[in-house]
Amino acid sequence: MSALGILVELIGYAVARAILPWLSFGWIYVEPFGASAQPLRRPCCRRDADGRIQLRQGVAGWIGLVISVLMLLAIVTTFHFMLF
């Protein structure tokens, strides 16, 4: 597995699992890490019995990585403008 794949799996998945339910007010959540691969109609998500959206691990990892990079960029930009 490549270094980018490890980052997506570890950091992105953890961030998405923590942040997405909070940002979506509980309507979007990420499947558990050891979930079995069940066939889905859509390759990235499915709806559960309550109508909530459950994201696949890979998609959630990329979304979490994007959220992490945006937060890091916001922090760096804030410190840059505070110092200059």
Side-chain angles (χ1 to χ4, degrees):
M1 183 179 272
S2 68
L4 181 62
I6 292 171
L7 281 176
V8 170
E9 289 286 329
L10 295 177
I11 296 172
Y13 176 77
V15 169
R17 191 151 169 91
I19 299 294
L20 282 178
W22 182 73
L23 287 176
S24 67
F25 301 108
W27 285 102
I28 299 174
Y29 66 102
V30 180
E31 70 181 354
F33 191 71
S36 62
Q38 298 173 350
L40 304 176
R41 283 192 240 165
R42 297 183 196 108
C44 62
C45 63
R46 68 175 159 205
R47 290 198 178 265
D48 63 3
D50 297 330
R52 300 183 317 164
I53 297 172
Q54 180 183 22
L55 291 178
R56 286 268 194 191
Q57 296 171 9
V59 174
W62 283 104
I63 290 172
L65 192 65
V66 168
I67 290 171
S68 298
V69 168
L70 289 175
M71 289 301 297
L72 183 64
L73 187 64
I75 291 168
V76 168
T77 304
T78 302
F79 283 126
H80 175 74
F81 285 122
M82 286 175 61
L83 295 176
F84 294 107

